[in-house]
Amino acid sequence: MRLAAPLLFLVLALFAPPAAGQDRAGVERQFSAWLEQAVWPRARAEGVSRTTFETAFSGVRLNWDLPDLVPPGATAQTPKRQRQAEFGSPARYFAPNTVATATRIGREMARRHAGTLAAVERATGVPGRIVLAIWGRESGYGRVAIPHDAFEVLGTKGFMSTRAAYFTDELIAALKIAETGAVPGGAMKSSWAGALGQPQFMPSSYLRYAVDGDGDGRADIWRSEADTIASIATYLQRHGWVPGRDWGFEVRVPASVSCTLEGPDQGRPIEEWEAMGVARVSGKPFPVHERRGEGFLMMPAGRNGPAFVVTPNFYVLKDYNMSDLYALFVGHVGDRIAYGMGDFEGAWGPVGGLYRSDIAAMQRALEGMGHDVGGADGLPGFKTRRSIGRWQESLGRPATCFPEAGMKAALAR
């Protein structure tokens, strides 16, 4: 919504950066003004009533404990530590107890909801085991308490975070959900990032993908397990899940195949990977129907952990959560639920313990050499991993394709 010139002047005056050392009470006043002068006009234009707006923000204050905040007048910096588990230590993320619990309860849920899962798979093409694994990872199959007030989280991050515009849009979407009356009383709770309900949908995703799975006329992802199952599957279907294809396979990658070949932009038919010596760790051949399909090398810890050939469906899982480890967890737990598979054969090395700020420094150094690392965000995604490998190969070293503590000084030379 465009603001008229006088109102725009008022907003700029109200939200001007505070003087150095201004106390939090002053920022709280700016927050209240921002809600009234910037958020309310947008919400009203989207059909949100004044009653809904005032109810949503009754008693809401800034939550100063949330990550990635940039108070007015401050400068955004790369966080030193990594709070989100999906971008931390792979070994910790795949802790045996975590995987075993998700698998055990997932099998219980597979039996309990067999009819719903089968119907949803017929309708969307998304396997029930994948839906279960996402449900388990996101909310422990609805058993994990969701602690935060969604309007407090989204309001705080919309007002002062590194992605303020994104969270402001999500705040408007949350108000639109509240306006519908679909949320049960007191249930507008979220994660620290503003994700809602058992599938942990951001508010905009709820508006696009939440569906009625139990036939009661509502999409209740807070209390209805059938709605949760159907909504997760609908999300994946609309993001391009390819029916009939798997998510991927654990493989052995011979030394003759460089880890710099990783990435969704370097796909080739799986039979070509096979011809290069890439083989399944199980010793079984790749399924016949998969061999001519496109596959992608995925090495989330470089040479320091398990390796995979993944299909386009792996990247659909990443649309749900952008982390490689998340998508891998979902595929792996889904396979364990359905097929009784064990742990990965490849072991996770001692990686993932670096500060984000250190990895960001390496990324900036690699960018200075002309590498595309995908942005200096401190997260070792596939572009960063293979850029490290290419840098190592340029020096005549074996490529490991993962950031290591000693690289920061070496890259700075």
Side-chain angles (χ1 to χ4, degrees), residues 83-168:
R83 174 166 175 158
Q84 191 168 346
E86 283 80 7
F87 300 99
S89 167
R92 188 176 303 120
Y93 194 74
F94 285 89
N97 184 60
T98 301
V99 173
T101 299
T103 301
R104 175 178 56 80
I105 300 176
R107 289 172 180 163
E108 294 175 9
M109 292 297 181
R111 291 189 291 270
R112 182 184 303 177
H113 298 288
T116 298
L117 289 163
V120 166
E121 183 167 349
R122 287 193 299 270
T124 65
V126 179
R129 72 183 195 278
I130 297 297
V131 174
L132 288 169
I134 288 178
W135 186 16
R137 184 65 210 179
E138 292 295 342
S139 65
Y141 304 96
R143 302 181 182 193
V144 174
I146 301 172
H148 299 290
D149 180 287
F151 295 108
E152 177 185 88
V153 169
L154 294 169
T156 298
K157 295 179 81 69
F159 177 65
M160 56 173 194
S161 80
T162 54
R163 301 172 66 197
Y166 166 78
F167 284 107
T168 301

Side-chain angles (χ1 to χ4, degrees), residues 242 244-246 249 266-274 286-297 309-313:
V242 182
R245 294 208 67 183
D246 211 320
F249 309 89
Q266 298 190 99
R268 61 186 71 200
I270 289 179
E271 61 187 4
E272 290 189 15
W273 291 113
E274 197 172 31
F286 291 99
V288 173
H289 73 280
E290 294 278 11
R291 294 184 73 247
R292 293 187 179 179
E294 193 169 26
F296 312 89
L297 186 62
V309 167
V310 299
T311 76
N313 285 338

Side-chain angles (χ1 to χ4, degrees), residues 1 3 11 15 31 34-44 46 48 53 57 62 150-176 193-194 202-204 207:
M1 178 177 178
L3 296 174
V11 170
F15 310 142
F31 173 59
W34 175 75
L35 289 175
E36 189 63 37
Q37 301 293 343
V39 176
W40 165 239
R42 282 191 60 186
R44 181 176 55 196
E46 294 284 348
V48 176
F53 182 84
F57 293 108
L62 291 170
F151 295 108
E152 177 185 88
V153 169
L154 294 169
T156 298
K157 295 179 81 69
F159 177 65
M160 56 173 194
S161 80
T162 54
R163 301 172 66 197
Y166 166 78
F167 284 107
T168 301
D169 289 345
E170 293 296 340
L171 177 60
I172 298 299
L175 288 166
K176 291 171 68 175
M202 293 303 290
S204 61
L207 293 174

Side-chain angles (χ1 to χ4, degrees), residues 1-13 37-38 41 44:
M1 178 177 178
R2 294 183 181 274
L3 296 174
L7 179 56
L8 178 60
F9 177 81
L10 173 61
V11 170
L12 291 174
Q37 301 293 343
R44 181 176 55 196

